[in-house]
Short mmCIF file of all heavy atoms in Angstrom, two decimals:
data_model
loop_
_atom_site.label_atom_id
_atom_site.label_comp_id
_atom_site.label_asym_id
_atom_site.label_seq_id
_atom_site.Cartn_x
_atom_site.Cartn_y
_atom_site.Cartn_z
N MET A 1183 -2.88 17.80 -34.79
CA MET A 1183 -3.05 19.25 -34.82
C MET A 1183 -2.05 19.93 -33.89
O MET A 1183 -1.41 20.93 -34.26
CB MET A 1183 -4.48 19.62 -34.42
CG MET A 1183 -4.79 21.10 -34.54
SD MET A 1183 -6.49 21.45 -34.02
CE MET A 1183 -7.41 20.46 -35.20
N MET A 1184 -1.91 19.34 -32.69
CA MET A 1184 -0.95 19.91 -31.75
C MET A 1184 0.48 19.78 -32.28
O MET A 1184 1.30 20.69 -32.11
CB MET A 1184 -1.06 19.20 -30.40
CG MET A 1184 -2.41 19.41 -29.70
SD MET A 1184 -2.75 21.16 -29.37
CE MET A 1184 -1.44 21.54 -28.21
N GLU A 1185 0.76 18.63 -32.94
CA GLU A 1185 2.09 18.45 -33.51
C GLU A 1185 2.36 19.47 -34.61
O GLU A 1185 3.44 20.04 -34.69
CB GLU A 1185 2.22 17.04 -34.06
CG GLU A 1185 3.59 16.73 -34.63
CD GLU A 1185 3.69 15.31 -35.15
OE1 GLU A 1185 2.68 14.59 -35.07
OE2 GLU A 1185 4.76 14.95 -35.65
N GLN A 1186 1.32 19.69 -35.43
CA GLN A 1186 1.48 20.69 -36.48
C GLN A 1186 1.68 22.07 -35.91
O GLN A 1186 2.48 22.86 -36.42
CB GLN A 1186 0.25 20.67 -37.40
CG GLN A 1186 0.17 19.42 -38.27
CD GLN A 1186 -1.07 19.41 -39.13
OE1 GLN A 1186 -1.93 20.30 -39.02
NE2 GLN A 1186 -1.20 18.39 -39.98
N LEU A 1187 0.93 22.36 -34.83
CA LEU A 1187 1.10 23.67 -34.20
C LEU A 1187 2.50 23.83 -33.64
O LEU A 1187 3.08 24.93 -33.68
CB LEU A 1187 0.05 23.87 -33.09
CG LEU A 1187 -1.40 24.04 -33.56
CD1 LEU A 1187 -2.34 24.08 -32.37
CD2 LEU A 1187 -1.54 25.30 -34.41
N SER A 1188 3.05 22.74 -33.10
CA SER A 1188 4.39 22.83 -32.53
C SER A 1188 5.47 22.89 -33.59
O SER A 1188 6.58 23.33 -33.32
CB SER A 1188 4.64 21.63 -31.60
OG SER A 1188 4.71 20.44 -32.35
N GLU A 1189 5.15 22.44 -34.83
CA GLU A 1189 6.14 22.42 -35.90
C GLU A 1189 5.88 23.47 -36.97
O GLU A 1189 6.58 23.51 -37.97
CB GLU A 1189 6.17 21.03 -36.54
CG GLU A 1189 6.66 19.94 -35.60
CD GLU A 1189 6.77 18.60 -36.30
OE1 GLU A 1189 6.28 18.49 -37.46
OE2 GLU A 1189 7.37 17.67 -35.72
N ARG A 1190 4.84 24.25 -36.77
CA ARG A 1190 4.49 25.25 -37.76
C ARG A 1190 4.56 26.65 -37.17
O ARG A 1190 4.22 26.87 -36.01
CB ARG A 1190 3.07 25.00 -38.29
CG ARG A 1190 2.93 23.73 -39.09
CD ARG A 1190 3.52 23.88 -40.46
NE ARG A 1190 3.58 22.60 -41.18
CZ ARG A 1190 4.05 22.47 -42.40
NH1 ARG A 1190 4.50 23.53 -43.06
NH2 ARG A 1190 4.09 21.29 -42.98
N ASP A 1191 4.99 27.57 -37.98
CA ASP A 1191 5.00 28.98 -37.57
C ASP A 1191 3.56 29.48 -37.56
O ASP A 1191 2.86 29.39 -38.58
CB ASP A 1191 5.83 29.80 -38.56
CG ASP A 1191 5.75 31.28 -38.26
OD1 ASP A 1191 6.03 31.67 -37.13
OD2 ASP A 1191 5.37 32.04 -39.18
N PRO A 1192 3.06 29.96 -36.43
CA PRO A 1192 1.65 30.34 -36.35
C PRO A 1192 1.26 31.50 -37.26
O PRO A 1192 0.10 31.62 -37.65
CB PRO A 1192 1.46 30.69 -34.87
CG PRO A 1192 2.83 31.02 -34.37
CD PRO A 1192 3.76 30.16 -35.15
N LEU A 1193 2.22 32.36 -37.61
CA LEU A 1193 1.89 33.53 -38.45
C LEU A 1193 1.81 33.15 -39.92
O LEU A 1193 0.83 33.47 -40.61
CB LEU A 1193 2.92 34.64 -38.24
CG LEU A 1193 2.72 35.91 -39.08
CD1 LEU A 1193 1.41 36.60 -38.70
CD2 LEU A 1193 3.90 36.85 -38.93
N THR A 1194 2.80 32.46 -40.43
CA THR A 1194 2.89 32.19 -41.87
C THR A 1194 2.43 30.80 -42.27
O THR A 1194 2.17 30.54 -43.44
CB THR A 1194 4.35 32.36 -42.34
OG1 THR A 1194 5.17 31.39 -41.69
CG2 THR A 1194 4.86 33.75 -42.01
N GLY A 1195 2.36 29.87 -41.30
CA GLY A 1195 2.00 28.50 -41.62
C GLY A 1195 3.15 27.67 -42.16
O GLY A 1195 2.98 26.50 -42.47
N LEU A 1196 4.33 28.26 -42.26
CA LEU A 1196 5.50 27.51 -42.74
C LEU A 1196 6.06 26.64 -41.62
O LEU A 1196 5.78 26.86 -40.43
CB LEU A 1196 6.58 28.48 -43.22
CG LEU A 1196 6.25 29.37 -44.42
CD1 LEU A 1196 7.45 30.24 -44.75
CD2 LEU A 1196 5.84 28.55 -45.62
N MET A 1197 6.87 25.65 -42.00
CA MET A 1197 7.60 24.87 -41.03
C MET A 1197 8.50 25.80 -40.21
O MET A 1197 9.05 26.77 -40.75
CB MET A 1197 8.46 23.82 -41.75
CG MET A 1197 9.17 22.84 -40.82
SD MET A 1197 10.34 21.77 -41.72
CE MET A 1197 9.26 20.94 -42.87
N ASN A 1198 8.60 25.53 -38.90
CA ASN A 1198 9.44 26.38 -38.06
C ASN A 1198 10.82 25.76 -37.86
O ASN A 1198 11.11 24.66 -38.33
CB ASN A 1198 8.76 26.68 -36.71
CG ASN A 1198 8.49 25.42 -35.90
OD1 ASN A 1198 9.14 24.39 -36.10
ND2 ASN A 1198 7.53 25.49 -34.99
N ARG A 1199 11.68 26.48 -37.15
CA ARG A 1199 13.06 26.05 -36.98
C ARG A 1199 13.16 24.73 -36.22
O ARG A 1199 13.99 23.87 -36.55
CB ARG A 1199 13.84 27.14 -36.23
CG ARG A 1199 15.31 26.78 -36.00
CD ARG A 1199 16.09 27.95 -35.51
NE ARG A 1199 17.52 27.63 -35.40
CZ ARG A 1199 18.48 28.52 -35.50
NH1 ARG A 1199 18.19 29.81 -35.73
NH2 ARG A 1199 19.75 28.17 -35.39
N ARG A 1200 12.29 24.56 -35.23
CA ARG A 1200 12.32 23.32 -34.45
C ARG A 1200 12.08 22.10 -35.34
O ARG A 1200 12.79 21.10 -35.25
CB ARG A 1200 11.24 23.39 -33.37
CG ARG A 1200 11.07 22.12 -32.57
CD ARG A 1200 9.91 22.26 -31.60
NE ARG A 1200 9.66 21.02 -30.89
CZ ARG A 1200 8.67 20.85 -30.03
NH1 ARG A 1200 7.84 21.85 -29.77
NH2 ARG A 1200 8.50 19.70 -29.42
N ALA A 1201 11.09 22.19 -36.22
CA ALA A 1201 10.79 21.08 -37.12
C ALA A 1201 11.92 20.86 -38.11
O ALA A 1201 12.27 19.72 -38.43
CB ALA A 1201 9.48 21.34 -37.84
N LEU A 1202 12.50 21.94 -38.61
CA LEU A 1202 13.58 21.82 -39.59
C LEU A 1202 14.79 21.12 -38.99
O LEU A 1202 15.38 20.22 -39.61
CB LEU A 1202 13.97 23.19 -40.12
CG LEU A 1202 15.16 23.22 -41.08
CD1 LEU A 1202 14.87 22.39 -42.31
CD2 LEU A 1202 15.51 24.66 -41.46
N GLU A 1203 15.18 21.51 -37.79
CA GLU A 1203 16.34 20.89 -37.16
C GLU A 1203 16.10 19.40 -36.89
O GLU A 1203 17.01 18.57 -37.03
CB GLU A 1203 16.68 21.61 -35.86
CG GLU A 1203 17.22 23.02 -36.07
CD GLU A 1203 17.61 23.68 -34.75
OE1 GLU A 1203 17.44 23.03 -33.69
OE2 GLU A 1203 18.08 24.83 -34.78
N ALA A 1204 14.84 19.06 -36.52
CA ALA A 1204 14.53 17.66 -36.22
C ALA A 1204 14.57 16.79 -37.48
O ALA A 1204 14.95 15.62 -37.44
CB ALA A 1204 13.16 17.55 -35.56
N ARG A 1205 14.19 17.37 -38.62
CA ARG A 1205 14.06 16.58 -39.84
C ARG A 1205 15.19 16.84 -40.83
O ARG A 1205 15.18 16.31 -41.94
CB ARG A 1205 12.73 16.92 -40.52
CG ARG A 1205 11.50 16.59 -39.70
CD ARG A 1205 10.24 17.04 -40.40
NE ARG A 1205 10.14 16.50 -41.76
CZ ARG A 1205 9.26 16.93 -42.66
NH1 ARG A 1205 8.41 17.90 -42.34
NH2 ARG A 1205 9.24 16.40 -43.87
N PHE A 1206 16.19 17.66 -40.45
CA PHE A 1206 17.18 18.11 -41.41
C PHE A 1206 17.96 16.94 -42.02
O PHE A 1206 18.20 16.88 -43.23
CB PHE A 1206 18.14 19.11 -40.76
CG PHE A 1206 19.05 19.78 -41.75
CD1 PHE A 1206 18.57 20.74 -42.61
CD2 PHE A 1206 20.40 19.43 -41.82
CE1 PHE A 1206 19.40 21.36 -43.53
CE2 PHE A 1206 21.24 20.03 -42.73
CZ PHE A 1206 20.74 21.01 -43.60
N GLY A 1207 18.40 16.00 -41.18
CA GLY A 1207 19.17 14.87 -41.68
C GLY A 1207 18.38 14.06 -42.69
O GLY A 1207 18.91 13.65 -43.74
N GLU A 1208 17.08 13.81 -42.39
CA GLU A 1208 16.25 13.04 -43.31
C GLU A 1208 16.05 13.79 -44.62
O GLU A 1208 16.07 13.19 -45.70
CB GLU A 1208 14.90 12.73 -42.65
CG GLU A 1208 13.91 11.98 -43.52
CD GLU A 1208 14.43 10.61 -43.94
OE1 GLU A 1208 15.25 10.02 -43.20
OE2 GLU A 1208 14.02 10.14 -45.02
N LEU A 1209 15.84 15.11 -44.55
CA LEU A 1209 15.67 15.90 -45.76
C LEU A 1209 16.93 15.88 -46.62
O LEU A 1209 16.85 15.82 -47.85
CB LEU A 1209 15.28 17.33 -45.39
CG LEU A 1209 13.90 17.50 -44.75
CD1 LEU A 1209 13.70 18.93 -44.27
CD2 LEU A 1209 12.80 17.12 -45.75
N ARG A 1210 18.09 15.92 -45.97
CA ARG A 1210 19.34 15.85 -46.73
C ARG A 1210 19.45 14.50 -47.46
O ARG A 1210 19.85 14.44 -48.62
CB ARG A 1210 20.54 16.03 -45.79
CG ARG A 1210 20.72 17.44 -45.31
CD ARG A 1210 21.32 18.35 -46.38
NE ARG A 1210 22.70 17.98 -46.67
CZ ARG A 1210 23.14 17.51 -47.83
NH1 ARG A 1210 22.31 17.34 -48.84
NH2 ARG A 1210 24.41 17.21 -48.01
N ARG A 1211 19.03 13.42 -46.78
CA ARG A 1211 19.09 12.11 -47.41
C ARG A 1211 18.07 12.00 -48.55
O ARG A 1211 18.24 11.17 -49.45
CB ARG A 1211 18.85 11.01 -46.37
CG ARG A 1211 20.03 10.80 -45.43
CD ARG A 1211 19.83 9.59 -44.54
NE ARG A 1211 18.80 9.80 -43.53
CZ ARG A 1211 19.00 10.35 -42.35
NH1 ARG A 1211 20.23 10.77 -42.01
NH2 ARG A 1211 18.02 10.49 -41.48
N GLN A 1212 17.03 12.81 -48.50
CA GLN A 1212 16.04 12.82 -49.57
C GLN A 1212 16.48 13.66 -50.77
O GLN A 1212 15.74 13.77 -51.75
CB GLN A 1212 14.69 13.32 -49.05
CG GLN A 1212 14.03 12.38 -48.06
CD GLN A 1212 12.74 12.95 -47.49
OE1 GLN A 1212 12.23 13.96 -47.97
NE2 GLN A 1212 12.22 12.31 -46.45
N GLY A 1213 17.65 14.27 -50.67
CA GLY A 1213 18.19 14.98 -51.83
C GLY A 1213 18.11 16.48 -51.77
O GLY A 1213 18.47 17.17 -52.75
N PHE A 1214 17.65 17.06 -50.70
CA PHE A 1214 17.59 18.53 -50.58
C PHE A 1214 19.01 19.02 -50.28
O PHE A 1214 19.42 19.12 -49.12
CB PHE A 1214 16.60 18.93 -49.47
CG PHE A 1214 15.17 18.73 -49.86
CD1 PHE A 1214 14.52 17.54 -49.58
CD2 PHE A 1214 14.48 19.72 -50.54
CE1 PHE A 1214 13.20 17.35 -49.94
CE2 PHE A 1214 13.15 19.54 -50.91
CZ PHE A 1214 12.51 18.35 -50.62
N ASP A 1215 19.74 19.35 -51.35
CA ASP A 1215 21.15 19.68 -51.21
C ASP A 1215 21.48 21.15 -51.47
O ASP A 1215 22.65 21.52 -51.58
CB ASP A 1215 21.99 18.81 -52.15
CG ASP A 1215 21.45 18.82 -53.57
OD1 ASP A 1215 20.61 19.69 -53.89
OD2 ASP A 1215 21.88 17.96 -54.37
N THR A 1216 20.45 21.99 -51.56
CA THR A 1216 20.67 23.43 -51.72
C THR A 1216 20.02 24.15 -50.55
O THR A 1216 18.83 23.98 -50.29
CB THR A 1216 20.08 23.94 -53.04
OG1 THR A 1216 20.71 23.24 -54.12
CG2 THR A 1216 20.32 25.43 -53.20
N PHE A 1217 20.83 24.93 -49.83
CA PHE A 1217 20.40 25.60 -48.61
C PHE A 1217 20.46 27.11 -48.86
O PHE A 1217 21.54 27.67 -49.10
CB PHE A 1217 21.33 25.22 -47.46
CG PHE A 1217 20.94 25.74 -46.11
CD1 PHE A 1217 20.26 24.94 -45.21
CD2 PHE A 1217 21.26 27.04 -45.73
CE1 PHE A 1217 19.92 25.41 -43.95
CE2 PHE A 1217 20.92 27.52 -44.48
CZ PHE A 1217 20.25 26.70 -43.58
N ALA A 1218 19.30 27.78 -48.82
CA ALA A 1218 19.24 29.23 -49.09
C ALA A 1218 18.69 29.96 -47.87
O ALA A 1218 17.60 29.63 -47.40
CB ALA A 1218 18.38 29.51 -50.31
N LEU A 1219 19.44 30.94 -47.37
CA LEU A 1219 19.01 31.74 -46.22
C LEU A 1219 18.56 33.10 -46.74
O LEU A 1219 19.33 33.82 -47.38
CB LEU A 1219 20.16 31.88 -45.23
CG LEU A 1219 19.88 32.65 -43.95
CD1 LEU A 1219 18.80 31.97 -43.14
CD2 LEU A 1219 21.16 32.80 -43.13
N ILE A 1220 17.30 33.48 -46.48
CA ILE A 1220 16.70 34.72 -46.97
C ILE A 1220 16.39 35.63 -45.79
O ILE A 1220 15.88 35.17 -44.77
CB ILE A 1220 15.41 34.43 -47.77
CG1 ILE A 1220 15.70 33.51 -48.94
CG2 ILE A 1220 14.77 35.72 -48.26
CD1 ILE A 1220 14.46 33.07 -49.69
N ASP A 1221 16.65 36.91 -45.99
CA ASP A 1221 16.36 37.91 -44.96
C ASP A 1221 15.80 39.15 -45.64
O ASP A 1221 16.34 39.63 -46.65
CB ASP A 1221 17.63 38.27 -44.18
CG ASP A 1221 17.34 39.15 -42.98
OD1 ASP A 1221 17.05 38.57 -41.91
OD2 ASP A 1221 17.36 40.38 -43.11
N LEU A 1222 14.68 39.70 -45.11
CA LEU A 1222 14.09 40.91 -45.67
C LEU A 1222 14.98 42.11 -45.32
O LEU A 1222 15.41 42.26 -44.17
CB LEU A 1222 12.68 41.12 -45.12
CG LEU A 1222 11.64 40.05 -45.52
CD1 LEU A 1222 10.28 40.40 -44.93
CD2 LEU A 1222 11.53 39.93 -47.03
N ASP A 1223 15.18 42.96 -46.30
CA ASP A 1223 16.06 44.13 -46.12
C ASP A 1223 15.32 45.23 -45.36
O ASP A 1223 14.17 45.57 -45.68
CB ASP A 1223 16.52 44.64 -47.48
CG ASP A 1223 17.34 43.61 -48.24
OD1 ASP A 1223 18.04 42.82 -47.57
OD2 ASP A 1223 17.26 43.57 -49.48
#
């Protein structure tokens, strides 16, 4: 639970930046080859 809290955004429940950076290499090796950056206008 604490690990999830540290890797999850408390407002939205999505993975946070810390978790993404830690797992990015593994995700790339798993085939996630499209990177989309979204920003609300």
Side-chain angles (χ1 to χ4, degrees):
M1183 185 181 299
M1184 296 300 295
E1185 182 179 0
Q1186 289 178 355
L1187 290 174
S1188 68
E1189 295 184 349
R1190 293 285 171 180
D1191 174 54
L1193 178 64
T1194 63
L1196 297 180
M1197 186 188 300
N1198 61 23
R1199 180 169 185 152
R1200 174 185 176 183
L1202 176 61
E1203 291 183 359
R1205 298 176 54 192
F1206 189 73
E1208 178 61 28
L1209 293 173
R1210 287 284 292 115
R1211 287 187 289 273
Q1212 292 176 11
F1214 287 92
D1215 50 13
T1216 300
F1217 185 99
L1219 182 61
I1220 302 174
D1221 188 87
L1222 295 181
D1223 298 328

